[in-house]
Amino acid sequence: MEITESILGRKVVALDDRKAVGSLKEIVVDCAQYRISHYVVEDEEAQVEMALPFNKVIAVGDTYMTIQDAAGLVSCAEMSTPYAVVESFDLLGLKAYSRAGNYLGTVKLYDIDPGTGALARIVLDGGGEYGKGSFVSLSPEFIFVDDGTATDADKRAGRTADAQVGDGGTDAQESSSKDPAENEHEPVAPQLEGSPEQADAPAASESQVEEAAETPVSDAPSGQDVPEDSAAEELVDDEDPDEVLKAYLLGKKINESVSSEDGAFTLASGSEITADVLASAQKADALLLLTMALEDDE
């Protein structure tokens, strides 16, 4: 990395011509790319200034800047860079402002990478330093940097985010205000559509619903206890009721034959309930029939 003052005044040597063709007088930066556009080389004897495009430079050494030959130098008037040398554009003395539009100071020195030509850092007369990651806008009139100050746009974006969170809270509040029966699982084993049990079962009273909501979920049929090591105890309350029932039935045996109404599923008495059996029973809506046919000692 080089500080501008250490490069200015350095002699430029054309290797093929075997002589110095001038000294480095000025560094011109391409505003759009934040990198060196070209150097201004002054020939003291001829009293002329020539532009040296950055890509014509072989290297910047600690004593000389080297180029291949003097043909790499062109008249300043012929340069077609975004900001010509005749405008005397240079970063030194340029006024710097924050992204929020606040004055920060003037550029007293800047660092460049001679290898890539990239503008690496600016230092202001007030002591502020800003790296290449903070550059926002550059022109012959000013340079803008991001100094971390929150802008009005940033604040508006923050308020918008807060409003969205607030809207979500309103939705959540509206959701929680609904009938609890719409938001919670009822701790009741699933019933087969059209089964006698479903048709004849009396409607639960309001007190029974409240009592069921306070009672731990159990998918075991009446009069049977679920083993403490049952997989059903490991399931959370909000799982699919069919999955809870299947976990309860897995591995048990039935004491009477089971057959679905359409005959698509049958299971002989004494058969063990396996995962495949459960899958077939679920497909035929016969899970509850398996529950009713469990052996008495299960």
Side-chain angles (χ1 to χ4, degrees):
M1 210 67 62
E2 291 277 3
I3 298 175
T4 307
E5 285 81 351
S6 68
I7 295 179
L8 296 179
R10 197 164 296 180
K11 293 288 186 180
V12 179
V13 173
L15 300 180
D16 288 351
D17 299 313
R18 297 182 295 279
K19 67 176 183 179
V21 295
S23 57
L24 185 59
K25 180 181 180 181
E26 188 176 350
I27 299 173
V28 179
V29 176
D30 183 334
C31 295
Q33 300 296 324
Y34 297 99
R35 64 179 61 253
I36 300 171
S37 167
H38 51 275
Y39 299 97
V40 177
V41 178
E42 182 180 33
D43 184 343
E44 294 89 349
E45 295 181 3
Q47 293 296 306
V48 295
E49 293 181 354
M50 302 292 286
L52 175 61
F54 174 76
N55 60 5
K56 296 294 184 181
V57 176
I58 294 177
V60 179
D62 58 9
T63 305
Y64 293 108
M65 173 185 287
T66 57
I67 61 176
Q68 196 62 43
D69 54 57
L73 297 165
V74 297
S75 170
C76 292
E78 297 176 7
M79 292 300 298
S80 59
T81 54
Y83 299 100
V85 177
V86 294
E87 297 181 18
S88 299
F89 168 56
D90 182 44
L91 283 177
L92 294 178
L94 200 64
K95 292 184 178 181
Y97 299 87
S98 71
R99 182 166 168 262
N102 301 319
Y103 176 70
L104 300 176
T106 60
V107 179
K108 72 173 184 179
L109 63 89
Y110 59 92
D111 295 345
I112 60 173
D113 183 340
T116 64
L119 176 63
R121 180 186 66 140
I122 62 171
V123 180
L124 306 183
D125 53 6
E129 298 184 10
Y130 300 93
K132 60 183 180 180
S134 65
F135 301 150
V136 175
S137 180
L138 176 62
S139 79
E141 299 179 5
F142 42 62
I143 181 171
F144 280 79
V145 298
D146 187 350
D147 67 341
T149 302
T151 64
D152 294 339
D154 295 332
K155 296 174 183 177
R156 287 195 298 272
R159 285 197 293 270
T160 300
D162 292 340
Q164 291 173 347
V165 172
D167 291 341
T170 302
D171 293 340
Q173 184 176 6
E174 292 176 357
S175 175
S176 64
S177 66
K178 295 179 180 179
D179 188 343
E182 296 178 8
N183 295 328
E184 299 179 0
H185 279 295
E186 295 182 357
V188 180
Q191 299 287 334
L192 291 176
E193 294 184 3
S195 66
E197 293 82 5
Q198 188 176 29
D200 298 336
S205 67
E206 182 176 351
S207 61
Q208 289 174 326
V209 172
E210 293 178 354
E211 182 179 355
E214 297 174 357
T215 304
V217 176
S218 173
D219 294 289
S222 176
Q224 296 187 4
D225 296 328
V226 180
E228 293 183 357
D229 61 347
S230 171
E233 292 184 353
E234 300 178 2
L235 298 174
V236 296
D237 292 342
D238 59 354
E239 279 205 44
D240 186 341
D242 281 353
E243 295 301 321
V244 176
L245 186 56
K246 287 163 62 179
Y248 168 73
L249 293 171
L250 184 64
K252 292 181 169 55
K253 293 183 179 181
I254 60 174
N255 61 1
E256 61 182 53
S257 298
V258 172
S259 178
S260 62
E261 292 184 359
D262 59 3
F265 172 79
T266 59
L267 189 64
S269 175
S271 298
E272 181 179 349
I273 301 175
T274 65
D276 291 339
V277 169
L278 288 172
S280 298
Q282 185 177 24
K283 186 175 181 181
D285 291 331
L287 288 177
L288 189 59
L289 296 179
L290 292 177
T291 304
M292 298 170 61
L294 291 177
E295 293 183 350
D296 293 337
D297 59 349
E298 289 291 340

